[in-house]
């Protein structure tokens, strides 16, 4: 089934075409020069920026895959979890297209999209599996029993992991976004230089917390001259604490649930140290780990289209009254 | 009017929030100020707990900008950390969020970004880091609101 996916839950305007597990196109407005081609604008958080971009982005997704709208067999749109204004724009566009071409439409939870990015990247990954999805906006551990069947085992109690990366990078004057710059700089640093706290250690619940870790870094180096700080050592030690926390909680849950397959997805899944430690620890514990391909780690519409294909296939079709739910929970079918 | 409080741990900051949350009334807007790690989100978790919202529901909205919760009163939890200036805040429809809060509570982290939009009815809460665990928390606003939210705490002109 050829599915058009639309994602506008926060700062990205994205449209994609996915067919039978193949990504035919996956256009993210901030990553392409729409301005050069269409005179469009790079979207931001403002709903009106999404309005300006959405038409061009859908057009580009069709263009890049050499498909026409009349060939689209279903429309999937992020309708849950995100900012109300931008979500409304995506849902309105999706409804208009589904109505005009008389094809089924389904609403997707943003985090379900990230879970599907893992499956789209690794089609051989079996059920059940454990999915760690971790980005700037969320950090969640989900037991994926089957297609669209979930049990949320744990999530962050305060900040998201990606948010902690960004805030520490900004605090240290390294710029934004913080993930890539910390990843790069940390390779030159000593991971054991500073003993930052490992949050929620000893707790049985696989929940996450990054606020205390962030505060501990800030308290330790506040007021110090940046030139005198061992920046590489600080970020290497900080990153090690984040990675250790993510990996140990995930493996703890994998052991409790006796699942052998672990999916790591979301924007932070790009981090090279996270991939390295997961690979080492999973080899040691006889788990199989699957990473989402980098192009599907950040927010994108291909993952929404993939989730939509599964939901429409299982009969989960919405009506023209599909509405947005900014704080909606991840729901199973 | 301003009142000065001291907390000596994150759990005390949470407890202070919880006590204040129990006395919130529809239309209250709280603007929070303080550097990274000073306790704003922790305080908000307490505030929401005082309104009957489970702690686990309340997490940092830095990325999403806004989280919405349903408790004894509805809560809009804004976080303007990623906003650089007033213009960006207006792009985010922050005025609409402020007016939507009439029947409920609005809590704004990193409220310094929108100082010109705040009126004298806003309850301002400033978090100063004293030591790694100790915080000085300054609550200011109209006298009636302070009497309701921080009764019996030290008064300071």
């Amino acid at each position: 089934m050829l599915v058009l996916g639309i994602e506008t839950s926060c700062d990205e305007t994205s449209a994609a075409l996915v067919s039978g597990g193949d990504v035919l196109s996956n256009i993210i407005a901030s990553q392409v020069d729409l301005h050069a081609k269409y005179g469009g604008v790079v979207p931001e958080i403002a709903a009106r920026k999404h309005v300006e971009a959405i038409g061009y982005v859908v057009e580009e997704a069709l263009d890049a895959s050499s498909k026409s709208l009349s060939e689209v067999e279903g429309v999937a749109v992020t309708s849950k979890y995100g900012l109300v204004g931008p979500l409304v724009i995506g849902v309105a566009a999706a409804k208009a297209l589904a109505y005009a071409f008389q094809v089924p439409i389904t609403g997707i939870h943003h985090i379900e999209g990230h879970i599907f990015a893992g499956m789209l990247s690794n089609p051989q990954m079996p059920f059940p599996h454990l999915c760690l999805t971790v980005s700037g906006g969320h950090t969640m551990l989900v037991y994926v029993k089957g297609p669209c069947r979930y049990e949320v085992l744990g999530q962050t109690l305060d900040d998201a992991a990606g948010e902690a990366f960004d805030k520490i990078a900004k605090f240290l004057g390294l710029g934004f976004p913080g993930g890539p710059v910390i990843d790069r700089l940390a390779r030159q640093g000593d991971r054991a230089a500073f003993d930052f706290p490992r949050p929620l250690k000893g707790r049985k619940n696989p929940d996450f917390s990054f606020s205390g870790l962030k505060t501990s870094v800030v308290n330790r180096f506040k007021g110090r001259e940046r030139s005198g700080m061992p920046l590489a050592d600080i970020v290497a030690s900080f990153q090690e604490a984040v990675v250790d926390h993510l990996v140990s909680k995930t493996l703890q849950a994998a052991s409790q649930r006796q699942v052998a397959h672990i999916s790591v997805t979301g924007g932070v899944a790009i981090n090279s140290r996270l991939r390295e430690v997961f690979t080492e620890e999973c080899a040691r514990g006889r788990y199989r780990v699957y990473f989402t391909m980098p192009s599907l780690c950040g927010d994108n519409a291909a993952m929404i289209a993939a989730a939509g294909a599964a939901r429409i296939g299982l009969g989960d079709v919405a009506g023209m009254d599909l509405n947005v739910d900014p704080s909606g929970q991840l729901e199973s079918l | 009017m301003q009142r000065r409080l001291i907390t000596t741990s994150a759990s005390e900051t949470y407890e202070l929030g919880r006590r204040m949350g129990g006395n919130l009334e529809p239309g209250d807007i709280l603007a929070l100020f303080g550097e990274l790690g000073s306790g704003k989100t922790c305080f908000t978790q307490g505030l929401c707990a005082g309104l009957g919202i489970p702690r686990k529901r309340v997490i940092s909205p830095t990325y999403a900008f806004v989280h919405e919760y349903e408790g004894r009163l509805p809560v809009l939890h804004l976080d303007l950390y990623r906003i650089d200036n007033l213009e960006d805040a207006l792009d985010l429809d922050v005025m609409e969020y402020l007016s939507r809060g009439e029947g409920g509570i609005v809590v704004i982290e990193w409220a310094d970004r929108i100082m010109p939009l705040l009126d004298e009815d806003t309850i301002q809460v400033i978090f100063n880091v004293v030591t790694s665990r100790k915080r000085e928390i300054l609550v200011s606003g109209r006298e009636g609101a302070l009497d309701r939210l921080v009764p019996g705490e030290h008064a300071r002109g």
Side-chain angles (χ1 to χ4, degrees):
Chain A
M1 183 179 5
L2 181 67
V3 176
L4 169 68
I6 292 177
E7 150 72 36
T8 59
S9 65
C10 196
D11 4 33
E12 299 285 13
T13 313
S14 179
L17 284 158
V18 170
S19 176
D22 292 326
V23 179
L24 306 183
S25 64
N26 189 19
I27 306 301
I28 299 162
S30 62
Q31 291 176 5
V32 290
D33 197 353
L34 286 175
H35 191 82
K37 194 164 176 186
Y38 302 103
V41 293
V42 175
E44 291 170 34
I45 47 171
R48 66 176 166 79
K49 303 266 172 77
H50 286 282
V51 174
E52 288 164 15
I54 187 77
Y56 301 119
V57 171
V58 170
E59 204 175 322
E60 182 65 17
L62 290 161
D63 241 30
S65 60
S66 306
K67 295 283 179 191
S68 67
L69 272 175
S70 57
E71 293 172 82
V72 170
E73 295 165 283
V75 179
V77 60
T78 310
S79 61
K80 287 173 227 152
Y81 200 78
L83 268 174
V84 61
L87 283 173
V88 164
I89 306 309
V91 168
K95 283 202 276 196
L97 291 167
Y99 183 73
F101 291 88
Q102 289 297 303
V103 293
I105 181 172
T106 190
I108 302 297
H109 191 285
H110 179 73
I111 292 177
E112 182 170 32
H114 283 292
I115 294 170
F116 267 87
M119 294 187 259
L120 202 49
S121 302
N122 305 285
Q124 78 286 12
M125 182 165 59
F127 297 110
H129 62 257
L130 193 60
C131 180
L132 173 70
T133 170
V134 53
S135 78
H138 71 275
T139 303
M140 193 181 268
L141 197 55
V142 183
Y143 181 58
V144 185
K145 295 180 255 192
C148 309
R149 288 177 57 226
Y150 312 109
E151 184 182 341
V152 176
L153 302 181
Q155 51 191 314
T156 184
L157 302 176
D158 38 57
D159 298 356
E163 174 186 345
F165 271 103
D166 284 337
K167 286 184 168 171
I168 290 304
K170 191 167 175 188
F171 168 72
L172 295 172
L174 299 172
F176 184 91
V181 63
I182 286 180
D183 194 347
R184 226 175 302 122
L185 186 58
R187 286 175 206 157
Q188 302 154 32
D190 176 3
R191 299 193 286 265
F194 302 100
D195 187 21
F196 294 127
R198 302 314 195 241
L200 309 177
K201 214 170 179 179
R203 294 244 202 127
K204 276 204 179 121
N205 275 2
D207 282 326
F208 301 94
S209 166
F210 298 95
S211 177
L213 173 58
K214 170 193 75 186
T215 304
S216 142
V217 177
V218 170
N219 282 335
R220 189 144 181 176
F221 299 100
K222 196 171 51 175
R224 297 252 307 253
E225 276 295 320
R226 187 167 174 263
S227 56
M229 282 200 277
L231 288 175
D233 288 349
I234 298 170
V235 298
S237 302
F238 163 73
Q239 176 177 268
E240 199 64 8
V242 172
V243 166
D244 188 13
H245 182 41
L246 290 171
V247 174
S248 62
K249 286 289 170 185
T250 304
L251 292 187
Q252 178 190 324
S255 159
Q256 283 167 357
R257 285 294 168 134
Q258 301 197 317
V259 283
H261 302 274
I262 296 170
S263 169
V264 183
T265 189
V268 177
I270 280 184
N271 182 277
S272 65
R273 184 62 187 154
L274 184 70
R275 288 182 178 231
E276 193 174 57
V277 175
F278 255 119
T279 305
E280 286 167 13
E281 293 297 315
C282 286
R284 198 193 312 260
R286 296 178 189 282
Y287 297 104
R288 175 99 196 262
V289 64
Y290 305 81
F291 298 106
T292 293
M293 61 175 79
S295 61
L296 296 178
C297 280
D299 290 352
N300 69 86
M303 65 187 198
I304 302 302
R311 285 207 170 240
I312 292 172
L314 292 166
D316 179 35
V317 173
M320 279 299 131
D321 57 351
L322 174 65
N323 217 336
V324 303
D325 184 358
S327 45
Q329 304 292 304
L330 180 65
E331 279 169 16
S332 294
L333 253 191
Chain B
M1 291 294 291
Q2 186 176 73
R3 296 196 187 171
R4 178 172 178 269
L5 303 107
I6 298 289
T7 61
T8 59
S9 66
S11 47
E12 275 188 36
T13 300
Y14 176 88
E15 266 310 306
L16 171 69
R18 205 179 55 82
R19 287 201 303 276
M20 287 174 65
N23 296 314
L24 286 170
E25 288 179 358
D28 281 344
I29 295 178
L30 289 94
L32 314 188
F33 306 85
E35 61 188 90
L36 220 52
S38 58
K40 301 180 295 298
T41 302
C42 176
F43 171 82
T44 306
Q45 288 178 323
L47 209 64
C48 289
L51 289 161
I53 299 159
R55 182 177 187 152
K56 275 196 165 188
R57 287 278 291 119
V58 183
I59 59 171
S60 167
T62 291
Y63 261 74
F65 297 102
V66 187
H67 286 160
E68 303 185 23
Y69 318 114
E70 273 305 323
R72 173 171 67 80
L73 296 167
V75 178
L76 288 172
H77 181 192
L78 276 68
D79 183 325
L80 305 178
Y81 177 81
R82 295 208 289 150
I83 299 286
D84 292 326
N85 51 51
L86 198 55
E87 196 186 334
D88 287 355
L90 293 172
D91 265 354
L92 184 64
D93 297 327
V94 83
M95 288 305 290
E96 198 193 315
Y97 284 111
L98 291 177
S99 58
R100 261 180 68 198
E102 270 169 20
I105 308 299
V106 182
V107 185
I108 311 159
E109 298 196 42
W110 300 96
D112 50 296
R113 271 65 162 170
I114 55 159
M115 274 313 270
L117 302 181
L118 304 175
D119 64 22
E120 58 272 26
D121 287 325
T122 306
I123 299 146
Q124 302 199 4
V125 188
I126 301 170
F127 298 79
N128 290 319
V129 177
V130 183
T131 67
S132 63
R133 290 165 61 82
K134 192 171 170 185
R135 303 288 182 266
E136 176 196 48
I137 298 171
L138 304 170
V139 187
S140 55
R142 291 194 190 275
E143 194 171 357
L146 295 185
D147 285 344
R148 171 162 56 86
L149 294 174
V150 276
E153 314 279 3
H154 317 278
R156 202 177 75 167

